[in-house]
Amino acid sequence: MLKPPAANMPGMTDTLDFVKNLWGSMNLPGTNMSGMAAPPMSVEDLDKRIADLKAVESWLNLNLTMLRGTIQTMEVQRATLSTLKSMGASMA
């Protein structure tokens, strides 16, 4: 049976749990289970939630950059292996 992708990366589960807990603790409008509108928030609460969301955004951008780099590295490896294979076939 295959493991989910996060289970294959050390530390990834902890990071995902952190983001889930952070996201769940924000009580954003439309995310509460009762279906009722969220109570009005103070400016301080809004500032804190904005800061929290910006931290999550930074984390997601970092992970996106790392993912793109990994994909690009694998594409270069694939091209290199393909070139070496075709060179070996032409020499044989």
Side-chain angles (χ1 to χ4, degrees), residues 10-26:
M12 193 61 155
T13 306
D14 296 337
T15 307
L16 290 174
D17 288 339
F18 165 75
V19 173
K20 284 181 195 175
N21 291 335
L22 180 63
W23 193 259
S25 69
M26 289 187 195

Side-chain angles (χ1 to χ4, degrees), residues 3 5 9 24 37 62 68 81 85-86:
K3 293 180 180 178
M9 297 181 191
L62 173 67
R68 285 180 178 156
L81 287 173
K85 191 175 182 179
S86 66

Side-chain angles (χ1 to χ4, degrees), residues 5-62:
N8 295 329
M9 297 181 191
M12 193 61 155
T13 306
D14 296 337
T15 307
L16 290 174
D17 288 339
F18 165 75
V19 173
K20 284 181 195 175
N21 291 335
L22 180 63
W23 193 259
S25 69
M26 289 187 195
N27 295 324
L28 296 171
T31 61
N32 59 356
M33 300 309 250
S34 66
M36 300 181 69
M41 293 185 264
S42 68
V43 172
E44 292 80 19
D45 287 340
L46 287 171
D47 287 341
K48 181 189 179 317
R49 290 182 183 186
I50 289 169
D52 289 345
L53 288 172
K54 284 185 178 185
V56 171
E57 178 186 27
S58 295
W59 178 83
L60 290 170
N61 282 330
L62 173 67

